[in-house]
Amino acid sequence: MERQNDQMTSKEDVFTDEEKIIIHSAIIQSSALAIVNSEGNIQRANHAFHSMFNPASTGDDLWHIDNIIDEYAAQDFFNLVRDVISMEHCWSGQIRLRNTLHQSFHAFLHISKAPEKGLYVVQVNPVDHVNEYERLRLMAYTDELTGIPNFRCFHERMNQLLEGRDAALHFGVLFIDIDHFKALNDRYGHVVGDKLLKACVYKLMKNIYPDGEVFRKSGDEFLIIVQQPAQIEGLIERLYAAFMQQVYVDGEGIPMQVSIGASLYPIDGQDTESLIHTADAAMYQAKRQKEMPSL
């Protein structure tokens, strides 16, 4: 019976050349599609993509994919997702885009490697065209400001990890706090403060991938799940080094620092709250040590 089911699945998963043509045609007609090179320049796009984003009308014009990303989304977007695609072969997510009229809207974006080396296929579906369940799920598990997974998503991911209670399971949780962020927010204003948070998120994601998953807890606090505890020390050093460099917002360099604490499963706790509490306490200890006057 198992062999028969395998054969049935195999037959169902394989389309004929004629069926592939039908599927490709349907996708092209229903989606905004573009081909992007390794630098992020859009080399070719269908009519729907041009109508949505390009003020020019010629199909051969080059423009960069970052130009269609809303200013409140992650900075340097394509470099970020290209790193993800190099490992996972594709990237999908809900993100705010900006159309030809500079109007912001939410869309489901899918980017995958093309068969040709160094090329990527970009597919855009405005949220209205996305399955309603998927749209609501993305909204529920995504931080609206930064576009990264939120605290609710962190809890679900932790539940998935802890569900099996595998005796061989070991992982770490990092608790990250941006030092003196309230003072920076008061000094520069909330608009710059929001941009500063998103710039910090980019630094986090750039420096933890592929060793960890980052989530926004609240305000200026973030959590990272690290699957391999042996990587935690090096990851923390990498993050501290990254935040020793200024963060640039609107061309102005702003000095930033973070404090980081860690906890390990199962040594420091066997449930989500215990692991957060231990990492939080370690983070505050790291913050106090930095603020103590040197003797």
Side-chain angles (χ1 to χ4, degrees):
M1 179 63 73
E2 289 182 3
R3 187 172 182 179
Q4 182 180 357
N5 287 339
D6 289 342
Q7 291 175 344
M8 290 177 63
T9 301
S10 177
K11 290 180 180 178
E12 291 171 355
D13 288 343
V14 177
F15 296 104
T16 65
D17 290 342
E18 183 179 354
E19 289 167 338
K20 288 178 181 178
I21 292 173
I22 295 172
I23 292 169
H24 291 166
S25 176
I27 292 173
I28 290 173
Q29 292 178 24
S30 62
S31 301
L33 296 166
I35 296 175
V36 178
N37 66 17
S38 60
E39 301 301 317
N41 293 316
I42 299 171
Q43 294 190 321
R44 185 82 59 180
N46 66 356
H47 176 73
F49 195 97
H50 277 284
S51 299
M52 200 175 293
F53 299 112
N54 189 19
S57 59
T58 56
D60 292 329
D61 284 353
L62 288 177
W63 77 100
H64 200 278
I65 189 173
D66 282 356
N67 293 336
I68 74 170
I69 307 297
D70 186 80
E71 62 179 318
Y72 291 107
Q75 298 181 7
D76 203 10
F77 171 79
F78 184 70
N79 281 339
L80 173 63
V81 299
R82 184 176 56 192
D83 291 341
V84 176
I85 294 170
S86 67
M87 301 292 295
E88 303 292 333
H89 303 293
C90 68
W91 181 93
S92 297
Q94 183 178 333
I95 191 168
R96 285 176 62 172
L97 304 180
R98 182 176 55 193
N99 64 17
T100 302
L101 301 176
H102 300 286
Q103 298 168 330
S104 297
F105 66 99
H106 286 277
F108 190 76
L109 191 65
H110 180 83
I111 305 176
S112 59
K113 283 185 177 179
E116 292 78 9
K117 187 176 181 181
L119 294 180
Y120 303 85
V121 176
V122 178
Q123 180 179 354
V124 180
N125 287 310
V127 162
D128 288 346
H129 298 173
V130 177
N131 175 277
E132 182 68 10
Y133 172 79
E134 184 65 22
R135 183 182 73 84
L136 293 174
R137 179 177 172 79
L138 284 167
M139 290 177 63
Y141 287 91
T142 302
D143 179 63
E144 185 175 1
L145 175 65
T146 63
I148 66 172
N150 58 19
F151 194 38
R152 183 183 290 111
C153 187
F154 172 82
H155 271 281
E156 179 169 289
R157 185 74 181 95
M158 290 290 289
N159 288 339
Q160 291 171 353
L161 284 171
L162 298 172
E163 212 168 48
R165 297 290 178 179
D166 186 349
L169 177 64
H170 295 274
F171 67 91
V173 173
L174 301 185
F175 196 117
I176 299 178
D177 178 81
I178 301 174
D179 294 343
H180 312 298
F181 182 77
K182 184 179 183 304
L184 291 169
N185 207 30
D186 291 342
R187 176 180 177 183
Y188 293 100
H190 292 290
V191 173
V192 173
D194 286 350
K195 292 181 179 181
L196 192 57
L197 270 179
K198 284 179 281 191
C200 288
V201 164
Y202 169 68
K203 269 188 181 286
L204 288 174
M205 296 185 74
K206 181 178 180 180
N207 286 281
I208 69 163
Y209 189 84
D211 299 326
E213 306 168 69
V214 62
F215 307 80
R216 187 182 182 196
K217 183 178 182 293
S218 62
D220 58 347
E221 295 178 337
F222 300 88
L223 292 161
I224 295 175
I225 296 175
V226 184
Q227 294 280 5
Q228 302 295 329
Q231 297 170 340
I232 288 178
E233 185 175 348
L235 184 54
I236 291 175
E237 290 177 0
R238 197 157 73 231
L239 290 172
Y240 274 133
F243 278 92
M244 287 180 67
Q245 302 174 17
Q246 291 184 331
V247 173
Y248 285 86
V249 173
D250 296 334
E252 181 178 355
I254 301 174
M256 300 290 298
Q257 282 190 323
V258 293
S259 296
I260 306 173
S263 60
L264 297 174
Y265 174 88
I267 300 171
D268 297 318
Q270 298 186 29
D271 60 76
T272 300
E273 295 307 320
S274 298
L275 291 167
I276 292 175
H277 178 77
T278 302
D280 187 17
M283 181 275 293
Y284 274 106
Q285 179 63 25
K287 190 183 291 286
R288 283 195 295 268
Q289 288 178 348
K290 285 192 295 185
E291 294 174 351
M292 287 176 61
S294 57
L295 299 177

